[in-house]
Amino acid sequence: MKAIRRFTVRTVLPEALAGLEELATNLRWSWHEPTRQLFAQLSPTLWEESAHDPIGLLGEIDPSRLDELAADHGFVAQVNERLHELHSYLTEPRWYQSLPEGAPAAIGYFSPEFGIAAALPQYSGGLGILAGDHLKSASDLGVPIIGVGLFYRAGYFAQAISADGWQQESYPVLDPDGLPLSVLRHPDGTAGQVALALPDGRTLYARVWQVAVGRIRLLLLDTDIPENDDELRSVTDRLYGGGGEHRLLQELLLGIGGVRAIKLFTELTGSPTPEVFHTNEGHAGFLGLERISDLIGVGLSFDEALQVVRAGTVFTTHTPVPAGIDRFDSGLIGQYFSSELLPGVDVDDVLLLGAENYKGGEPGTFNMAVMGLRLGQRANGVSQLHGEVSRGMFGQLWPGFDTADVPITSVTNGVHAPTWTDPSLLALAASRLGTTDTTSCDWNSPAVTDLDLWEVRNGMRAQLVQDARRRVTAALAEQNPGTITPQWVSDLLDPDVLTIGFARRVPTYKRLTLMLHDEDRLRSILLSADHPVQIVIAGKSHPADEEGKRLIQKLVQFASAPELRTRLVFLENYDIAMAQLLYPGTDVWLNNPLRPLEACGTSGMKAALNGSLNLSILDGWWAEFYDEENGWAIPSADSAGDSAERDKLEAEALYDLIEHQIAPRFYDRGSDGVPKRWVQSIRHTLATLSPELSADRMVKEYVTRLYVPAAEAERTISATSFAGARELAAWKQRVSDAWPLVAVTHVESGGVDTVPQVGDVLHVRAHVQLDGLSPDDVAVEVVYGRAREGDNLERTHHVALEPESAAPGVAVQFIGAVPLTRAGSFGYNVRVTPKHPLLASAAELGLIAVAD
């Protein structure tokens, strides 16, 4: 008989162990190994069965065991010590508290998903894991972030693989009472809620859950409450589920409801109000409109409020392909914003923010990323290469500007080292180097021997093999209940064989099955007598992605051959718990996307933090960090005639690297059984990549390069009753009205000999028609560099020209000088752009005039 309802009854802890409740409900345990070890002591068996979930463990443990531990003075002392450490961690000054005055008092960080721990399954892949790591490092650094997301009652989905290799999805409903959540409450005990007005007089209500992530508070909005009818209760049913209108409701709730949740949270707790709002991808972009509505309510116009919101907003794009962006029919957007959803905000102003009203855009489409860029004065991609791709992809929003001038910078992603570094490597660093901070210790120190490193790596691999066998055993038992586990499962993988890992979402561009291009050659690599190889694979395809599912099926069917099934393994239901053993347990991490479609690819970073070497296409983060010693680069066949030829060439390069470089180096052992050359690369990887790939580095970059400047801009524009916003809005309107007649009418140059030489100075005079604008309203610059085919300028530099007259007029002359500092081809032009101290870039208005 099945239960008609499930709920979790929490254990009443003995008074001596009351501290376990606080330790269990603050997710710092997910990256604090001493706290994890404390919970494991309660019951090692239940700790494993609960998938290392303290609340799940406390819900299952026998009260007599708790009474026994409550009488154990040594264990009670450990609980109190861990609790004292947590309180110190939550209150002591950290890196952020040492910053000069001007850092924002609080930052709102919005994301549709957060991957923090397997015990809180509110993530689908890299975007959510990145968001979780962002919060964890912010906590460690003392950055005052308030996170905002949605609480999905069924998370993403649980994956199973059928006997014929087809992905099957299920959506187990989560019980919030069994999760590390608490309801945000008013002083009278009633639950905190936000409400959104919908068309036809309906209202969407959402309860606000709180999650303690170390020092960070994460707010999750949940619509599955009695105040909503059945249809609206399902708005937060599952992550990335439902059609266009369902997704729109989720994003309205995340953005608009999220800002309202922060306002409620700050009112109830006295926490500082965010000065900066960070939108992690476009899903939360509507947050800017809620803030505009609030500012209109205090007397600003839409355009004036827009300046304030832009100044304090940071937008991060994660997708390198237009197909990855959420887009809605403009009519649907108009329907929702014609209601009482946002008082004072006109629907036409909303539609203009997301309109694809540029060359190549689709009329009648509302683009969430475009709105994010128009609402955020500062924007970034998530690796250097992705920044370049993003500037090209969104360049039409700034017509006339060179791609390099498009105002999208990059902050390369990082991963949270304490979460993703295996405890055995932490223990090695502590015992030999005196620290558990694996990102800052000296991995080249002789205090750590090659044998030390190799033994730890062997242990990680053996740990993965054991976990893979356990998971395959469980999956077979689920498929074939009541049958005996086949004997071959006990031989699944070999703890002494070179192990390659590949795990990620399964869209087609990530090319899960590139390794199958030549099945015979892959088979020979796996079954080599001298240099055997084994590959462990995991990943989920989106439920609606039939082609992705076919790729999984193709690989699973290939791996099912009796001679291969112990060498090539697909592990179903990829999640954080699996990943924490998979990344450390692999000797080589494989990534072979179609370049440049991998925005960053943080899975390889997590492997590198454990000394795994990377084998990857030069895409995402690997394009900027590969140095020929930390792994191998798969050559990209970008110039191939078609995709089939490209796949063939890149697959052959992959096979060649494994056969002729990777496997021989791995099995080249000294008399002590240690592969010296391989360990040299492990040591180098740990020493050089650990600091750079750390999420601490990433968060510090966001703070110094984006959050602090955004806070300063927001304060400046809001000072004196928003005088700056009013002035900037009026100035933008004046400049935009005049710009059609702004032109560089004539350029004169002189000062160089007939044959220019290095050391000469080129004098430039530009005649600029300003149509009544002041010279102070514009920046006039010489743009010079190497002149290439078609007179295109490369490696450009800018020199400002100064006006000969400061008076407004129809035409003004600007003069300046350019030193010729290098030999070779030289070319220049003159450009005019709007100039104002409250602009963050010359391209911000998308207005430019250049000499013909």
Side-chain angles (χ1 to χ4, degrees), residues 139-313:
S139 175
D140 290 343
L141 295 169
V143 183
I145 280 178
I146 303 171
V148 180
L150 302 181
F151 176 70
Y152 305 97
R153 282 299 172 113
Y156 188 39
F157 68 86
Q159 179 197 51
I161 303 298
S162 68
D164 66 350
W166 193 252
Q167 172 180 290
Q168 298 173 317
E169 302 92 25
S170 60
Y171 296 87
V173 175
L174 303 172
D175 174 16
D177 292 330
L179 299 174
L181 306 172
S182 64
V183 175
L184 177 65
R185 296 192 181 277
H186 292 276
D188 63 3
T190 57
Q193 291 185 356
V194 298
L196 276 67
L198 302 181
D200 301 322
R202 304 175 75 197
T203 301
L204 175 66
Y205 296 95
R207 174 193 292 132
V208 182
W209 293 99
Q210 302 179 87
V211 186
V213 186
R215 298 167 68 111
I216 305 301
R217 195 59 56 93
L218 170 61
L219 308 178
L220 300 178
L221 279 64
D222 175 12
T223 62
D224 189 11
I225 56 177
E227 288 82 353
N228 291 320
D229 60 32
D230 288 345
E231 182 183 353
L232 294 181
R233 287 184 75 144
S234 69
V235 166
T236 55
D237 55 355
R238 59 184 65 166
L239 179 58
Y240 302 142
E245 189 164 3
H246 187 84
R247 178 72 68 88
L248 176 60
L249 279 165
Q250 288 188 341
E251 298 189 1
L252 291 170
L253 179 63
L254 176 60
I256 297 171
V259 174
R260 294 177 185 179
I262 284 184
K263 286 185 284 191
L264 178 62
F265 172 76
T266 57
E267 290 169 7
L268 293 177
T269 64
S271 301
T273 299
E275 298 177 82
V276 174
F277 288 78
H278 184 176
T279 307
N280 191 38
E281 200 40 275
H283 310 81
F286 292 121
L287 72 87
L289 294 174
E290 168 68 8
R291 296 174 59 214
I292 286 173
S293 177
D294 286 343
L295 291 165
I296 290 173
V298 297
L300 272 64
S301 69
F302 181 90
D303 286 340
E304 292 165 349
L306 176 61
Q307 310 316 314
V308 179
V309 167
R310 278 181 50 77
T313 299

Side-chain angles (χ1 to χ4, degrees), residues 69-93:
L69 290 168
D72 182 338
H73 298 298
F75 184 79
V76 172
Q78 287 187 62
V79 172
N80 292 334
E81 183 179 355
R82 296 290 90 81
L83 193 61
H84 175 73
E85 288 174 353
L86 175 61
H87 291 164
S88 296
Y89 172 86
L90 297 177
T91 56
E92 65 189 11

Side-chain angles (χ1 to χ4, degrees), residues 349-361:
D349 289 326
V350 174
L351 292 173
L352 196 58
L353 285 171
E356 294 187 358
N357 54 353
Y358 45 79
K359 184 179 179 181

Side-chain angles (χ1 to χ4, degrees), residues 578-646:
M578 179 193 296
Q580 287 178 315
L581 297 178
L582 180 55
Y583 299 136
T586 53
D587 301 292
V588 174
W589 194 259
L590 173 63
N591 191 22
N592 48 231
L594 281 170
R595 174 185 163 97
L597 303 185
E598 182 80 279
C600 185
T602 55
S603 60
M605 293 181 169
K606 296 160 194 153
L609 288 184
N610 290 281
S612 301
L613 308 184
N614 273 267
L615 169 61
S616 177
I617 294 287
L618 285 171
D619 200 4
W621 74 275
W622 190 235
E624 64 194 84
F625 286 110
Y626 168 64
D627 66 4
E628 300 186 7
E629 181 60 29
N630 50 21
W632 296 267
I634 303 169
S636 296
D638 296 355
S639 58
D642 56 29
S643 60
E645 177 69 10
R646 181 175 183 172

